[in-house]
Amino acid sequence: MSGDTRITTLDRLDLRVEAGGWPEIEPFRAEIDAAFAALSAENPHVFNGRVYLLRHHAIADGVLAGTCFETDFAAFNWWRRRGIDDLGVKNIFAFAATEGADGAFVMGVMGDHTAAAGRIYFAGGTPDPQDVHAGRLDLRGSAMREMTEETGLSADGAREGEGWDLVEHGLYFGLMRRLRFPVAGTVLAQQARAFLARERLPELKAIHVLASDADITPDVVPFAADYARWRWAGA
C-alpha cells in the first residue's frame, strides 16, 4: 500500500445533506464553464448532472459523520482535475467491493464515452440526488444500485460486510462495502461480461479481474489497488 493512502474500518456512516451548495467555487465559475465546454466538445456523452461532495467530517468510535452538499458535475470535474485540496471538501463515493470466493476482485474498465475513460475500479460512483433519503446520504444504496447498473450483478447470495472500509487517498474518500460471492472471481467476471454484451451503451467497456499484484496495471486507480493489496495482506 502506498504511503499516500490510509484505510480505516468503520461500523457505520452518518452523512447529512445540507442546503447552500458550494459558494466557494463561484469565483471560478467562468473557468469551470470553459473547462466543461472543452470536455463536452471532446466527449458529447458527458452530462452536467448533480452530485454530492463531503464538506465537514469526523471519525470517532467507528462512525464517519459529516455533512454533504449538492453541486453540478462541471464544478466537481473542474475541482477533481485540479487535484488541489484547498476548498475544504472531499470526493466521497461508495463502491461495492466485489470479491470472488478465491479472493480475486472484479472491477470495471470505464467506457470511452465516460469522464474517466479507461480507468479501472470497482462498480460505484459519486452519489447523486437519487441517493438522498430523508435528508441523509444512502451510500449503501448507491453502491448496490451502481453495481447492478454497471455490471448486472446483485448482492443476492453474497456475504455482505456489516460496516465499511474507508480508503483515503488525497481528495478521495472511497467507501468500500464488502461483498464476497460464493463463486470464483472469473465466474463473476463472465456474468458481468455477458451483461455488458447485452447493453446498448454500457458504462463499462470491459471487466478486469485482480487476483494478484500482477493484475494491477497502471489503469487501476491507486485507491482501488491499495485496497486490494490491503485485503490480500489479511485485513
Side-chain angles (χ1 to χ4, degrees):
M1 189 170 69
S2 71
D4 296 330
T5 299
R6 180 172 66 176
I7 300 179
T8 306
T9 299
L10 302 171
D11 296 322
R12 64 183 180 90
L13 310 177
D14 182 13
L15 300 172
R16 293 173 287 111
V17 175
E18 64 179 8
W22 198 4
E24 293 89 347
I25 56 91
E26 289 312 312
F28 306 99
R29 180 51 69 176
E31 186 178 335
I32 290 168
D33 291 344
F36 187 73
L39 178 64
S40 298
E42 177 183 330
N43 184 354
H45 295 285
V46 176
F47 173 63
N48 191 20
R50 311 299 293 180
V51 297
Y52 286 86
L53 300 176
L54 178 67
R55 189 190 303 279
H56 306 295
H57 72 277
I59 299 173
D61 300 323
V63 179
L64 169 62
T67 57
C68 300
F69 65 94
E70 182 179 317
T71 188
D72 59 3
F73 180 80
F76 163 67
N77 191 62
W78 167 85
W79 166 77
R80 179 179 60 176
R81 291 194 175 197
R82 285 174 81 224
I84 304 173
D85 190 8
D86 65 343
L87 292 175
V89 299
K90 296 291 184 181
N91 178 7
I92 191 170
F93 49 85
F95 283 154
T98 310
E99 182 180 354
D102 54 353
F105 291 102
V106 177
M107 299 186 182
V109 185
M110 296 301 293
D112 294 337
H113 61 288
T114 68
R119 304 295 276 162
I120 300 173
Y121 44 81
F122 292 109
T126 305
D128 60 38
Q130 62 187 314
D131 300 318
V132 178
H133 303 284
R136 294 183 180 273
L137 206 56
D138 175 17
L139 288 188
R140 181 191 177 276
S142 176
M144 299 304 158
R145 172 177 55 79
E146 293 279 359
M147 177 180 66
T148 300
E149 289 179 356
E150 294 180 12
T151 68
L153 300 174
S154 76
D156 294 344
R159 187 171 77 245
E160 181 178 349
E162 294 184 359
W164 297 86
D165 297 322
L166 169 62
V167 183
E168 298 178 60
H169 183 91
L171 303 175
Y172 298 99
F173 254 47
L175 287 151
M176 310 295 179
R177 189 74 171 188
R178 294 185 180 184
L179 287 176
R180 189 176 177 94
F181 288 80
V183 297
T186 52
V187 175
L188 290 174
Q190 289 171 355
Q191 295 173 0
R193 289 176 183 132
F195 169 79
L196 296 183
R198 296 191 296 268
E199 293 290 287
R200 186 183 65 83
L201 187 64
E203 189 166 353
L204 305 178
K205 66 178 181 180
I207 299 297
H208 188 79
V209 177
L210 267 68
S212 70
D213 271 333
D215 301 314
I216 299 178
T217 69
D219 287 328
V220 178
V221 298
F223 58 81
D226 285 342
Y227 180 72
R229 291 187 177 109
W230 180 72
R231 290 289 307 279
W232 290 333

